[in-house]
Amino acid sequence: MSNFTRCAACRYLRRRCCGDCTLAPFFPSTNPTRFAYVHRVFGASNVARMLQQIPAEQRRQAADAIALEAYWRVQDPVYGSVGVISRLQREINAAQRELAETQAHITLYAARAQSPTTQFDPSI
Amino acid sequence: MHIVCNAITWSRVLRLCFFSESTIKLIFHFFPLLKPLPVTALNSHALIHRPYCALLPHLAVFPSLIRKVMGGNSPCASCKLLRRRCTKDCIFAPYFPSDDPHKFAIVHKVFGASNVSKMLQELPAHQRADAVSSLVYEATARMRDPVYGCVGAISYLQNQVSQLQMQLAVAQTEILCIQMQQEPPTLASDQQMVDADHNNPFVVNDNLGAVPQMMNFGSSSSSSGNIAQDPLKREFLWA
């Protein structure tokens, strides 16, 4: 009895999963949602074509990136991963502002720490 | 054989050239001078031997004129690429004009026209322009970096956020240390310091409660979640 199970892609597309299926290494049957999102956004043939154009050692990273982009697009159909980029840029701006304020406070505290000694110097 | 006859007018010529009555009326609307003019020897020779030649300069203008008057436009970039007729209710036409074919070409290459069409149809009309812009951005990023696409930029930005949060935490710790070094002043002097700081526009929140609030900012700003640390995304990525 063969223990071979179809990959998530072939199961979704209802086709036989042969041994050299391009998508099988990246879309295992344990996570069917991952391929469902990818197929919905990019399409199976587009993904297979994109992966084939990439060197074999980088295909896993590419498949993960494609899966992430598809996930974000499904979560936010209008902006997708661009919405994530915008949100991160807003966070960076807020963090930079906060850092600048904190560093200004540090400077103020440091100045205040020195000023009481000069203020109360009896020789002046 | 030359036709020199006042009875032959442009309207007869146009009918002979199989233009319909409505088209003829359009032509006369834009070229009123043609209406009363008879066909003369000057132009009849061309008419006899090549009936359409005399009209060529006008014919070249007619198709676009007729299309504009009848409300038809040139096919959008998507219909041009897909080699199909661009109908009035083409979903791509408002967002992929014919003067920028590259835009649709990239989107079609990465996402596919049918997927884009489905995505746009699921969205309300006022959000489709933004969706198209984001799709074009993603497709361009994917073409530029076939392995990581947009995710490369997102990783970079997340690293920046992490670094800034670390620097913020260090700075806040430093403030705490400085404040602890300045303690313990008496309660009266503390109150004087606070009152003085209220008049200082440079200081936003200078009281002992400000530091815990500032410390909490770091945790609230981590709502975006690092890709590697977000359990949902981790499970999604690595099955």
Side-chain angles (χ1 to χ4, degrees), chain B residues 14 18-29 62 66:
Chain B
L14 290 170
F18 304 109
F19 281 99
S20 64
E21 287 301 318
S22 56
T23 309
I24 292 169
K25 279 181 193 164
L26 265 173
I27 292 168
F28 286 144
H29 175 72
F62 284 159
I66 288 167

Side-chain angles (χ1 to χ4, degrees), chain A residues 26 28 30-31 33-35 37-44 46-47 49-50 53-55 58-73 77-82 84-89 91-96 98-106 108-110 112-113, chain B residues 108-112 115-116 119 122-123 127 130-135 137-138 142 146-151 153-155 157-158 160-161 164-165 167-168 170-172 174-175 178-179 182 193 197 200 202-207 211 214 217 221-225 227 232-233 235-239:
Chain A
F26 316 111
T30 49
N31 194 353
T33 314
R34 180 171 140 117
F35 180 77
Y37 286 172
V38 166
H39 180 58
R40 188 169 152 185
V41 175
F42 293 96
N46 279 341
V47 174
R49 183 178 43 82
M50 280 193 271
Q53 289 172 354
I54 292 169
Q58 292 181 310
R59 283 179 191 168
R60 180 159 293 279
Q61 290 95 321
D64 290 342
I66 288 169
L68 262 179
E69 283 190 33
Y71 171 77
W72 283 322
R73 179 58 61 176
V78 181
Y79 297 106
S81 48
V82 176
V84 177
I85 291 174
S86 303
R87 192 157 41 100
L88 284 171
Q89 281 175 337
E91 287 196 14
I92 286 172
N93 291 339
Q96 283 172 338
E98 184 76 16
L99 185 62
E101 281 177 16
T102 309
Q103 285 170 343
H105 285 174
I106 290 173
L108 186 68
Y109 279 126
R112 192 180 298 159
Chain B
H108 177 51
K109 190 163 181 185
V110 173
F111 295 99
N115 288 334
V116 175
M119 281 192 253
E122 285 169 5
L123 291 172
Q127 288 182 321
D130 285 346
V132 165
S133 300
S134 67
L135 286 170
Y137 182 90
E138 278 191 40
R142 175 66 47 187
V147 179
Y148 293 106
C150 267
V151 177
I154 290 172
S155 293
L157 291 173
Q158 280 187 332
Q160 264 196 307
V161 169
L164 282 168
Q165 285 176 346
Q167 290 173 15
L168 195 58
V170 166
Q172 287 167 350
E174 202 173 326
I175 281 190
I178 291 173
Q179 284 191 333
Q182 290 178 355
M193 280 172 62
D197 289 336
N200 188 343
F202 192 68
V203 174
V204 178
N205 261 332
D206 193 27
N207 50 47
V211 173
M214 287 161 69
F217 177 80
S221 68
S222 66
S223 59
S224 69
I227 293 176
L232 176 64
K233 291 193 181 69
E235 183 206 340
F236 190 76
L237 270 181
W238 291 290

Side-chain angles (χ1 to χ4, degrees), chain B residues 27-207:
Chain B
I27 292 168
F28 286 144
H29 175 72
F30 287 102
F31 298 94
L33 293 179
L34 284 180
K35 244 181 175 173
L37 285 182
V39 174
T40 64
L42 288 174
N43 53 27
S44 63
H45 179 79
L47 273 176
I48 294 299
H49 291 274
R50 275 194 258 171
Y52 298 100
C53 279
L55 297 173
L56 271 178
H58 305 299
L59 280 175
V61 177
F62 284 159
S64 57
L65 263 179
I66 288 167
R67 268 203 296 269
K68 276 182 192 166
V69 170
M70 304 297 274
N73 294 319
S74 62
C76 66
S78 57
C79 293
K80 235 184 227 180
L81 185 77
L82 300 171
R83 293 182 189 177
R84 64 186 191 192
R85 200 165 64 94
C86 191
T87 57
K88 263 190 299 185
D89 53 354
C90 172
I91 196 160
F92 296 119
Y95 315 109
F96 297 102
S98 55
D99 56 358
D100 192 1
H102 181 63
K103 193 171 155 187
F104 182 76
I106 303 179
V107 169
H108 177 51
K109 190 163 181 185
V110 173
F111 295 99
S114 58
N115 288 334
V116 175
S117 171
K118 277 184 226 166
M119 281 192 253
L120 291 180
Q121 276 168 359
E122 285 169 5
L123 291 172
H126 64 277
Q127 288 182 321
R128 287 178 187 169
D130 285 346
V132 165
S133 300
S134 67
L135 286 170
V136 170
Y137 182 90
E138 278 191 40
T140 309
R142 175 66 47 187
M143 297 292 283
R144 207 178 294 136
D145 184 355
V147 179
Y148 293 106
C150 267
V151 177
I154 290 172
S155 293
Y156 173 75
L157 291 173
Q158 280 187 332
N159 282 340
Q160 264 196 307
V161 169
S162 301
Q163 281 175 11
L164 282 168
Q165 285 176 346
M166 222 167 7
Q167 290 173 15
L168 195 58
V170 166
Q172 287 167 350
T173 309
E174 202 173 326
I175 281 190
L176 196 58
C177 289
I178 291 173
Q179 284 191 333
M180 283 171 69
Q181 280 171 9
Q182 290 178 355
E183 283 180 10
T186 60
L187 276 175
S189 63
D190 269 346
Q191 188 58 41
Q192 283 172 7
M193 280 172 62
V194 168
D195 289 339
D197 289 336
H198 277 311
N199 296 327
N200 188 343
F202 192 68
V203 174
V204 178
N205 261 332
D206 193 27
N207 50 47

Side-chain angles (χ1 to χ4, degrees), chain A residues 16-36:
Chain A
R16 203 162 60 93
C17 191
C18 48
D20 57 348
C21 175
T22 320
L23 302 174
F26 316 111
F27 299 100
S29 56
T30 49
N31 194 353
T33 314
R34 180 171 140 117
F35 180 77

